[in-house]
Amino acid sequence: MEIRSNLLTILNEKDITIRQLSKNIDYRYETVRSLCHNQIERLPLDLLAKICVYLDIRIEDILTLEKNV
């Protein structure tokens, strides 16, 4: 099983860039980018909280659990 991020899709739908998001939530660009591209190994809870508040979404909207085939 693998946890995947839908954040990049959400940002594209809202016409927000990764750089804009990272600046507006005051978080390192590299960390936000890693989450968007499913390259993050440890997920900071404060990052999730900031993203959810800023985008007015739930954690379940960002993260999904996928079965490996």
Side-chain angles (χ1 to χ4, degrees), residues 47-65:
L47 173 58
L48 277 179
K50 286 182 176 194
I51 290 171
C52 288
V53 169
Y54 180 76
L55 296 175
D56 192 28
I57 58 175
R58 301 173 312 167
I59 291 173
E60 303 89 64
D61 297 328
I62 300 172
L63 301 176
T64 58
L65 183 62

Side-chain angles (χ1 to χ4, degrees), residues 4-65:
R4 305 284 297 169
S5 168
N6 297 318
L7 183 56
L8 189 57
T9 302
I10 294 167
L11 292 178
N12 287 336
E13 289 171 358
K14 294 181 178 274
D15 199 28
I16 299 171
T17 67
I18 298 170
R19 194 164 302 281
Q20 285 173 320
L21 176 64
S22 64
K23 181 180 179 185
N24 290 336
I25 65 172
D26 193 30
Y27 220 91
R28 289 184 57 235
Y29 169 79
E30 294 79 13
T31 305
V32 177
R33 184 189 171 286
S34 293
L35 175 58
C36 285
H37 293 286
N38 291 296
Q39 299 171 335
I40 198 164
E41 292 187 21
R42 300 204 185 273
L43 191 54
L45 295 179
D46 64 326
L47 173 58
L48 277 179
K50 286 182 176 194
I51 290 171
C52 288
V53 169
Y54 180 76
L55 296 175
D56 192 28
I57 58 175
R58 301 173 312 167
I59 291 173
E60 303 89 64
D61 297 328
I62 300 172
L63 301 176
T64 58
L65 183 62

